[in-house]
Amino acid sequence: MFPLSFEIGKYTIFFLILTIFPWFSSILFSFSYIKEKKGEFYTFFLLTFFLNLLIFFSKDLLTFLFLFELLSLFSFPLIIYEREKEAIFASKLYFMFSLLSGLFIFGGLILLQSGIQFNTLSIIAITIGLLIKCGAYPFHIWLPEAHPIAPSPASAILSGCIIKIGFFGLIKLIPIISSQFLRTYGEILLIISIITMLYGVLQALLQSNSKKMLAYHSVSQMGYILLGLSLFAISKNIDGLSGSLLHAMNHAFFKSLLFLSIGSVFLEYGSVDMYKVKGFFSRNKVISLLFLIGILGISGIPFFNGYISKALLHEALLEEGTALFKIAEIIFLLTAIGTFTSNFKMYYLINFRNNKKIEKPAKPNKNAISSLLILSLLVILLGLLPGIYKYFLPRYLGEEISNELYLLMPFGQLFLEGLPSFILISIAGIFLIIFGLKTGLFHKKIPYILDPLYWWAFVYILSILFFRNLIYKVELFIIKGFSFITRVLGGFLLFDSKIDKKILETFKVSFNFSVKKIGYSQVFDKELLYALTYSVLPGDKLLPDKVSKRAYSFNEKISTYYSNTFSFLKFLFTVANKTDLKGAQNYEHFVKINGKKLITTFIIITIILILGFILLLIYL
Amino acid sequence: MITFYFLFILPLLFILLEALIPYEKKNLISILTATLSSLLLILLITLYLFHTDQTITLIQSGPISLSFKADLFAVITSVFASILWIFSSIYSIAYLKNEEASKIKRYNIFSILNLYTIILIFLASNMITFFIFFEILLIASYVLIIHNQTPEAFAAGMKYLFFQIIGGLLLLFGIILTYSIIGTTNFSPGGYIILTQSKFFSIMFWCYVIGFSIKAGLFPVHIWLPEAHPIAPSPASALLSGMVIKTGTVGIIRLFLEIFGRGNLMGKVDIKILLLLSLFTMFWGSAVAIGETHLKRVLAYSSVSQIGYIIMGVSLLSPLGILGALIHTLAHSVVKGVLFLSAGAVISDTGETDIRKLDGYGLKNPLIFAGFTVSALSMIGFPLFVNFITKWTLGVGAIEALSEGSIELWIMILSIAVLLISSVLNAIYYAPIVIRGWFYGEGKEKYKIDWLKVLPILIGTALIILFGIAPSWLIDFSRNALSPLIPLKSYPKPF
């Protein structure tokens, strides 16, 4: 068997628990959500499930890479499930970024085979690959496109479980890093994580599509997770590592809860635009309440699980006092305010605001309620009894943390210590919601320069227009050059320059476009990106129609001319066939006209070559 | 010995048989070709089991000596050639069904001739034999290219002929120089050190290499390839892209290991130039393929890129690099075979060669398009398929070459970078075709399943997945094949 190696590692149990509950709920929920194309959905859904579980048993990074690439491949049809243009764009983006991350990890693994020599370079390569999978800024751009467009059960597990696999890879990677590089590594990771946190939450505040907002929150919460990991890398901070592990588990639970709740909203209203949907609370009180539990979890409200992990991470952040850490702490606080604001804003907008009419309550949906109930119970339970985490964490971590987990129980010492900052966050959040809704602050957009999606779009369009044009021109030049040489060498009687010119003309692709013609503003047009990725060729929609003719279409005159020229070859193989007398006649006619030219050409070429050989041999 | 004689005479008998069959029994001819391929496969396996490393010399007069040696390297490449021929000939029973009887006869006769010469090329134990059958292969493959007899086919065939004749002449010149320096052209493990130290080394090297690379399709002499391979009928394209261009790369492997010698070549500037050229080919082939609209032209440019991989592996001169080159040669023949055969099925079903008009083909003919998808994904380099293994081996080969001291650091970084970038470029042109086939159109009417076309594709797909999951058979046989050639006592493993 291929050298895949499996083991039950230190973190296996933890990640399996993290994975199983969201998956169970999503599968349960999907029975009432997925009504058509079930075969396609469930095949790849369950294949993804299998790989998602298997990957946590991998022993080394090669097995990890193998399974992760397969997982990205099998989760592709989930994203392109609805065949709309946004789905096609998102799925191609997802495919490309998965491939890129796989290649980065692959390159890093190859470099690792050389022993110690390329440790730094390979670690950087593998980290970039894993960060693409995790959704860290600036590699996150596939996430807010792919996660919203997938059907809700798929979004739930994509955001809940699959981005944690990158985190798993990073945990496995850290022991390999050489100790002198480790601190720098941690600091760079810290900077990336705080930018991710802040950027994610800022974008989340400005979204109107609820699922896209949740996807940006996934980016932001991954920033939290990476923050803890970076603190662990810098100073072996156990609070940091366990904080990020616990936050990973918490995020899996409340994010999948949120996505499935939004899925229920979609089933009721057919839309997830939070400004258009109103009054869900009066339609379906039970699901609305379970929805609220998810909101409370992600915002870090005491008694729910988000509070536990955020408190641990905050503790870890306080350990050092350098400038970087102070900035990190401020951003931590701002992100918490932003998370609170955007989540409660969404909850309010979707569930209430129906002052005029009282909606009829909807039919209870057993699948949805039970799936949401499981996750909500977990959210509440882990918030009230954080000691349970100790049983999932690896033994050494569990023992070190158990004291702090005990103190984080409701009304424990650490619990009460965190309350003041929580009250500050909630007051600031409530003010921001009221202020923002009144002034329309939430309808602004982030400037294009900061959004990596448009960096990618710009580079992509430039590379289509300029780069491919250049390559085509060079290839054309080579073909023309060889045609010229062969004609000079005596082939001018055997090669028809008209045919060659025809071939070259249809081969030529006229790219008369420059970026200026498209217009810089058009580059930032989503519709253009959708059109570009819909087609097969990069830039297909930009090409004028006459270029898309088939490369091999000739008119009859040239065909007959050519078949005369080469009918001696036809003669060799078909004159024995009595049905092709015309070919034989053509050949005889041809020989009468051109026979002398042919023979002289052959003789000239032979003489030149023989003379050339003799000269060379004499010279040598 | 008897097996050797069978090997020489049996194909000629079959050619005679096929020439004598009357025109009415079209299908019988193709079936005979398939039978011959299977018989040759059995013969080759017998050759390996009972006559390993035996040499047989047919003619010996002066410099001309026809001799063949059945070492493992020869046998394993020939086995893959005959497997590819079995696939292609079974497929051609269905594909060429509607053509004129004379054309079918001609196709099959020259297809057997092709296989015959390729096996003899692989079995050759000196350069003269290699060269003689190399030239015969030229004519045999020319006939396959011009099968359709349209003006474009003749143009492409003429271009092919022109290039290959020049290549052959350069090769002959190299052989003459070799013979004049060492008095023999026999392949000897470890090579001849006198050759690398002589003052004609550069001329010899480049004559040989350009001669072989015109056949293989290295930049900038690759331009015959995207015209010749699409214009041939699909089973012939599979053979051409699968095995005929590999004779050039096998020639380079034999050259580097048994004529020049791996240790003697290390550190020479010429090898580094070849390495950079092959890296550029890897990039260039994929880059030009991105904008192509004709399905088979895309696959032809992809072949150019893959030849770059193989030549890169060989010019790295590390054992793992050469191992990667060999596995890639064998794996790519199967993968490209499946790609061309399924492309042929696509074209004959829909009548379209434009990749923008193939929406939803996968829903209409899932089995064939599944074969296409699997081999396209393998080309991109997904694990579970065989090209992941070959890419890994080539990458580790580059690292090993650095540790052996034959290349500098920047070359190694460049080669790994180009390896990864070409994966991205492969994805850019393969993925849209695959996605478009499965996810775009509607699959209301299904095409009829033609089992003669589907069966080879499915078996090829199964082989791709099998070698991807359990590559140890392939890797171990290749290691055992290469270790006497270098010679190396314990051949490193890629994993």
Side-chain angles (χ1 to χ4, degrees):
Chain A
M1 185 70 188
F2 187 79
L4 297 177
S5 49
F6 296 102
E7 64 169 2
I8 302 182
K10 291 190 279 199
Y11 302 96
T12 307
I13 306 278
F14 185 83
F15 279 96
L16 281 180
I17 307 261
L18 187 155
T19 309
I20 286 184
F21 287 106
W23 267 101
F24 185 72
S25 304
S26 302
I27 295 180
L28 201 54
F29 187 82
S30 67
F31 295 146
S32 50
Y33 190 93
I34 307 284
K35 295 292 179 203
E36 42 180 41
K37 289 191 280 193
K38 282 188 190 177
E40 173 190 328
F41 184 81
Y42 280 111
T43 319
F44 292 103
F45 202 49
L46 294 175
L47 273 169
T48 318
F49 185 26
F50 169 62
L51 285 169
N52 199 352
L53 293 174
L54 194 60
I55 202 167
F56 296 122
F57 289 96
S58 55
K59 188 170 181 184
D60 58 1
L61 281 168
L62 184 61
T63 320
F64 179 79
L65 172 68
F66 188 95
L67 294 173
F68 211 169
E69 287 276 278
L70 282 180
L71 199 149
S72 319
L73 186 63
F74 288 140
S75 51
F76 178 84
L78 301 176
I79 300 178
I80 203 173
Y81 179 77
E82 323 267 357
R83 310 279 202 252
E84 307 160 352
K85 56 182 188 293
E86 290 95 4
I88 291 172
F89 173 67
S91 60
K92 287 192 182 175
L93 206 55
Y94 179 72
F95 184 85
M96 209 35 93
F97 273 86
S98 316
L99 188 69
L100 275 174
S101 71
L103 289 174
F104 269 109
I105 303 178
F106 185 75
L109 278 180
I110 290 182
L111 285 172
L112 266 182
Q113 301 295 315
S114 67
I116 305 289
Q117 203 176 359
F118 293 107
N119 196 307
T120 316
L121 193 60
S122 66
I123 295 292
I124 294 177
I126 300 181
T127 311
I128 295 180
L130 289 170
L131 284 180
I132 296 179
K133 296 280 196 192
C134 284
Y137 184 94
F139 310 117
H140 67 282
I141 56 186
W142 58 276
L143 211 153
E145 303 291 330
H147 287 194
I149 209 73
S152 292
S155 304
I157 49 96
L158 276 170
S159 255
C161 306
I162 293 185
I163 50 180
K164 309 306 189 306
I165 304 181
F167 172 55
F168 176 72
L170 278 171
I171 294 182
K172 280 183 101 61
L173 186 65
I174 289 197
I176 310 179
I177 307 180
S178 60
S179 33
Q180 62 258 47
F181 181 55
L182 194 58
R183 190 171 167 103
T184 331
Y185 180 82
E187 285 177 359
I188 299 177
L189 198 57
L190 182 65
I191 299 175
I192 293 179
S193 59
I194 55 182
I195 300 178
T196 311
M197 275 161 55
L198 194 59
Y199 181 80
V201 87
L202 282 178
Q203 281 277 25
L205 280 169
L206 307 174
Q207 297 298 324
S208 58
N209 181 343
S210 321
K211 288 177 86 171
K212 199 154 189 183
M213 188 202 88
L214 291 176
Y216 271 114
H217 270 303
S218 290
V219 173
S220 175
Q221 304 294 310
M222 276 312 290
Y224 276 94
I225 297 174
L226 292 172
L227 177 74
L229 196 65
S230 61
L231 293 171
F232 178 67
I234 292 179
S235 50
K236 293 275 188 251
N237 189 334
I238 292 292
D239 275 344
L241 182 62
S242 23
S244 46
L245 280 169
L246 297 189
H247 199 73
M249 184 180 268
N250 294 339
H251 180 251
F253 296 154
F254 52 62
K255 191 44 71 69
S256 46
L257 177 57
L258 286 171
F259 264 112
L260 295 179
S261 321
I262 295 287
S264 313
V265 171
F266 184 76
L267 281 176
E268 287 289 326
Y269 291 94
S271 162
V272 286
D273 188 333
M274 64 175 91
Y275 294 103
K276 300 210 177 100
V277 171
K278 25 180 119 169
F280 186 64
F281 183 75
S282 41
R283 286 291 281 264
N284 201 332
K285 291 197 173 44
V286 179
I287 293 189
S288 198
L289 278 173
L290 298 173
F291 189 6
L292 183 64
I293 296 180
I295 301 280
L296 295 170
I298 194 172
S299 314
I301 310 290
F303 302 109
F304 297 93
N305 63 358
Y307 185 71
I308 310 283
S309 45
K310 289 196 185 180
L312 270 176
L313 285 169
H314 197 220
E315 274 286 317
L317 206 49
L318 289 174
E319 285 204 13
E320 284 198 34
T322 53
L324 184 63
F325 281 74
K326 289 238 177 357
I327 298 176
E329 205 194 328
I330 298 174
I331 294 186
F332 191 94
L333 213 58
L334 289 174
T335 316
I337 298 176
T339 315
F340 185 96
T341 312
S342 53
N343 279 299
F344 274 98
K345 171 193 76 155
M346 175 182 78
Y347 188 74
Y348 165 72
L349 287 173
I350 291 186
N351 285 288
F352 302 107
R353 296 191 297 155
N354 57 338
N355 305 319
K356 295 194 185 127
K357 49 182 176 163
I358 300 180
E359 307 267 352
K360 261 185 288 197
K363 267 191 299 193
N365 184 345
K366 284 194 206 135
N367 285 330
I369 294 178
S370 29
S371 53
L372 294 174
L373 197 61
I374 300 172
L375 291 171
S376 323
L377 284 175
L378 280 166
V379 169
I380 300 176
L381 193 65
L382 291 172
L384 292 176
L385 296 170
I388 299 182
Y389 286 120
K390 190 177 59 168
Y391 297 106
F392 311 144
L393 288 169
R395 198 171 302 152
Y396 74 98
L397 265 182
E399 281 163 4
E400 298 217 25
I401 286 292
S402 64
N403 192 34
E404 304 193 30
L405 288 176
Y406 177 72
L407 290 173
L408 277 169
M409 274 182 70
F411 309 112
Q413 176 196 354
L414 286 175
F415 181 92
L416 294 170
E417 274 178 23
L419 279 180
S421 41
F422 163 68
I423 295 176
L424 175 71
I425 290 172
S426 38
I427 294 177
I430 294 177
F431 268 123
L432 196 54
I433 294 179
I434 301 176
F435 175 72
L437 284 177
K438 285 268 167 25
T439 58
L441 187 67
F442 300 131
H443 291 279
K444 300 239 160 103
K445 287 204 184 295
I446 291 220
Y448 290 124
I449 301 187
L450 293 176
D451 192 349
L453 180 64
Y454 296 108
W455 306 347
W456 170 84
F458 203 68
V459 167
Y460 181 61
I461 292 178
L462 266 184
S463 59
I464 306 166
L465 295 178
F466 173 69
F467 176 69
R468 212 179 113 223
N469 194 5
L470 186 65
I471 289 188
Y472 252 54
K473 280 199 178 132
V474 175
E475 178 83 357
L476 210 58
F477 176 74
I478 296 176
I479 294 181
K480 275 189 195 165
F482 272 105
S483 302
F484 177 71
I485 294 176
T486 48
R487 248 175 267 141
V488 159
L489 282 180
F492 56 87
L493 287 173
L494 299 171
F495 290 98
D496 186 5
S497 54
K498 282 192 220 152
I499 302 281
D500 266 352
K501 271 204 191 110
K502 274 266 175 178
I503 294 180
L504 290 175
E505 248 176 45
T506 50
F507 187 91
K508 211 183 338 185
V509 176
S510 54
F511 275 110
N512 288 327
F513 297 90
S514 59
V515 182
K516 283 211 189 88
K517 259 200 178 170
I518 285 193
Y520 285 108
S521 60
Q522 270 181 293
V523 173
F524 302 126
D525 181 10
K526 261 304 181 46
E527 290 297 326
L528 182 67
L529 287 175
Y530 292 150
L532 284 176
T533 45
Y534 184 87
S535 64
V536 176
L537 306 175
D540 193 20
K541 292 281 184 223
L542 296 176
L543 301 178
D545 270 330
K546 64 184 174 188
V547 171
S548 3
K549 268 191 212 144
R550 297 170 67 131
Y552 298 106
S553 56
F554 298 96
N555 56 23
E556 275 188 357
K557 247 195 251 178
I558 300 192
S559 309
T560 44
Y561 179 88
Y562 226 176
S563 62
N564 285 339
T565 316
F566 290 102
S567 40
F568 71 95
L569 287 164
K570 261 179 126 173
F571 174 75
L572 276 179
F573 299 111
T574 59
V575 77
N577 179 359
K578 296 187 181 75
T579 59
D580 195 17
L581 285 170
K582 193 169 176 222
Q585 283 168 355
N586 282 341
Y587 169 65
E588 288 178 38
H589 178 72
F590 169 75
V591 165
K592 273 193 208 138
I593 299 179
N594 296 324
K596 286 192 196 137
K597 271 198 229 167
L598 269 177
I599 294 172
T600 35
T601 319
F602 279 129
I603 292 177
I604 292 173
I605 295 176
T606 326
I607 291 177
I608 293 176
L609 287 170
I610 293 177
L611 280 174
F613 266 125
I614 295 174
L615 277 171
L616 267 171
L617 286 171
I618 291 174
Y619 166 69
L620 291 172
Chain B
M1 284 309 149
I2 294 191
T3 327
F4 266 117
Y5 289 123
F6 261 114
L7 204 60
F8 297 148
I9 299 180
L10 198 63
L12 296 174
L13 273 180
F14 265 82
I15 291 180
L16 200 60
L17 199 62
E18 288 194 4
L20 292 176
I21 286 182
Y23 286 122
E24 293 77 45
K25 302 205 174 54
K26 296 195 280 195
N27 290 335
L28 186 58
I29 302 179
S30 312
I31 295 174
L32 275 179
T33 319
T35 325
L36 175 69
S37 317
S38 339
L39 283 176
L40 280 177
L41 180 63
I42 299 175
L43 269 178
L44 285 164
I45 297 179
T46 326
L47 198 65
Y48 169 61
L49 291 174
F50 298 114
H51 299 284
T52 323
D53 290 336
Q54 276 182 13
T55 319
I56 179 171
T57 311
L58 289 182
I59 304 172
Q60 178 95 44
S61 68
I64 313 281
S65 88
L66 275 179
S67 67
F68 306 95
K69 182 178 183 191
D71 55 3
L72 187 55
F73 181 76
V75 169
I76 197 171
T77 42
S78 317
V79 160
F80 269 84
S82 35
I83 290 177
L84 186 63
W85 246 261
I86 295 176
F87 288 165
S88 172
S89 32
I90 295 178
Y91 184 90
S92 64
I93 301 177
Y95 191 84
L96 298 174
K97 210 161 35 179
N98 301 325
E99 307 229 354
E100 299 168 11
S102 61
K103 276 183 158 182
I104 298 182
K105 205 187 238 201
R106 177 181 73 195
Y107 175 86
N108 279 299
I109 289 178
F110 279 92
S111 175
I112 296 181
L113 194 62
N114 248 328
L115 178 61
Y116 183 52
T117 46
I118 285 185
I119 292 183
L120 290 179
I121 288 177
F122 288 150
L123 283 172
S125 80
N126 59 18
M127 216 38 149
I128 291 276
T129 323
F130 200 100
F131 174 73
I132 291 175
F133 286 101
F134 208 68
E135 297 293 293
I136 299 181
L137 179 63
L138 206 156
I139 302 176
S141 45
Y142 174 76
V143 176
L144 290 183
I145 291 176
I146 60 159
H147 183 253
N148 288 326
Q149 293 177 221
T150 55
E152 309 91 46
F154 282 122
M158 196 45 87
K159 204 175 247 183
Y160 173 74
L161 211 55
F162 210 86
F163 270 93
Q164 302 302 326
I165 290 178
I166 293 187
L169 288 172
L170 281 169
L171 208 54
L172 181 61
F173 190 60
I175 295 177
I176 293 173
L177 275 175
T178 316
Y179 185 78
S180 70
I181 295 181
I182 51 175
T184 172
T185 55
N186 279 336
F187 291 142
S188 125
Y192 302 96
I193 195 162
I194 315 174
L195 286 173
T196 48
Q197 289 167 344
S198 78
K199 60 181 173 174
F200 297 124
F201 169 70
S202 281
I203 302 178
M204 247 197 306
F205 181 86
W206 285 110
C207 277
Y208 271 122
V209 163
I210 296 179
F212 280 129
S213 53
I214 289 181
K215 187 67 163 212
L218 209 59
F219 181 90
V221 288
H222 66 286
I223 55 179
W224 59 269
L225 211 152
E227 310 221 1
H229 287 196
I231 213 78
S234 297
S237 298
L239 303 175
L240 286 168
S241 246
M243 263 305 161
V244 173
I245 54 180
K246 302 303 174 21
T247 51
T249 58
V250 164
I252 292 192
I253 294 180
R254 286 273 197 199
L255 179 78
F256 281 8
L257 295 182
E258 299 196 292
I259 298 249
F260 286 139
R262 178 187 87 97
N264 311 329
L265 279 174
M266 277 205 231
K268 297 262 182 197
V269 170
D270 309 281
I271 287 277
K272 289 187 191 151
I273 299 178
L274 183 63
L275 181 61
L276 291 173
L277 199 61
S278 65
L279 291 178
F280 191 71
T281 311
M282 279 161 74
F283 165 75
W284 188 257
S286 307
V288 185
I290 293 181
E292 291 289 343
T293 52
H294 192 273
L295 179 61
K296 290 172 79 171
R297 242 183 121 94
V298 171
L299 298 176
Y301 270 113
S302 176
S303 285
V304 172
S305 181
Q306 302 299 313
I307 291 291
Y309 278 72
I310 300 175
I311 306 284
M312 175 189 104
V314 180
S315 34
L316 283 172
L317 288 179
S318 61
L320 280 175
I322 302 180
L323 178 69
L326 182 59
I327 326 180
H328 199 79
T329 310
L330 303 174
H332 178 248
S333 63
V334 179
V335 174
K336 221 5 111 53
V338 173
L339 274 175
F340 266 111
L341 293 180
S342 37
V346 168
I347 294 175
S348 63
D349 272 344
T350 56
E352 290 283 350
T353 55
D354 195 335
I355 50 180
R356 291 167 292 191
K357 305 228 172 58
L358 294 174
D359 288 359
Y361 182 81
L363 302 167
K364 295 181 192 151
N365 201 340
L367 286 173
I368 290 188
F369 207 70
F372 188 90
T373 311
V374 164
S375 30
L377 289 174
S378 172
M379 281 276 164
I380 299 178
F382 271 99
L384 196 74
F385 308 120
V386 70
N387 281 88
F388 180 74
I389 315 257
T390 51
K391 283 194 179 146
W392 175 268
T393 317
L394 286 170
V396 183
I399 302 258
E400 208 190 1
L402 181 71
S403 65
E404 282 185 348
S406 53
I407 58 176
E408 284 96 21
L409 178 66
W410 65 275
I411 298 184
M412 184 212 81
I413 302 278
L414 186 66
S415 43
I416 294 185
V418 172
L419 197 65
L420 301 177
I421 291 174
S422 68
S423 281
V424 176
L425 293 174
N426 278 340
I428 295 180
Y429 61 82
Y430 273 127
I433 307 178
V434 168
I435 294 175
R436 212 156 160 134
W438 291 112
F439 295 110
Y440 268 43
E442 307 210 327
K444 288 279 161 30
E445 341 82 41
K446 307 248 182 198
Y447 290 115
K448 204 164 67 85
I449 299 182
D450 191 347
W451 284 106
L452 284 172
K453 284 187 189 171
V454 167
L455 214 58
I457 295 178
L458 284 182
I459 300 179
T461 315
L463 272 180
I464 297 175
I465 300 181
L466 187 71
F467 286 140
I469 302 178
S472 46
W473 183 86
L474 183 65
I475 294 182
D476 286 335
F477 265 92
S478 309
R479 282 167 62 233
N480 293 335
L482 284 173
S483 54
L485 300 185
I486 293 183
L488 208 58
K489 281 216 182 53
S490 70
Y491 210 98
K493 286 192 186 209
F495 297 108

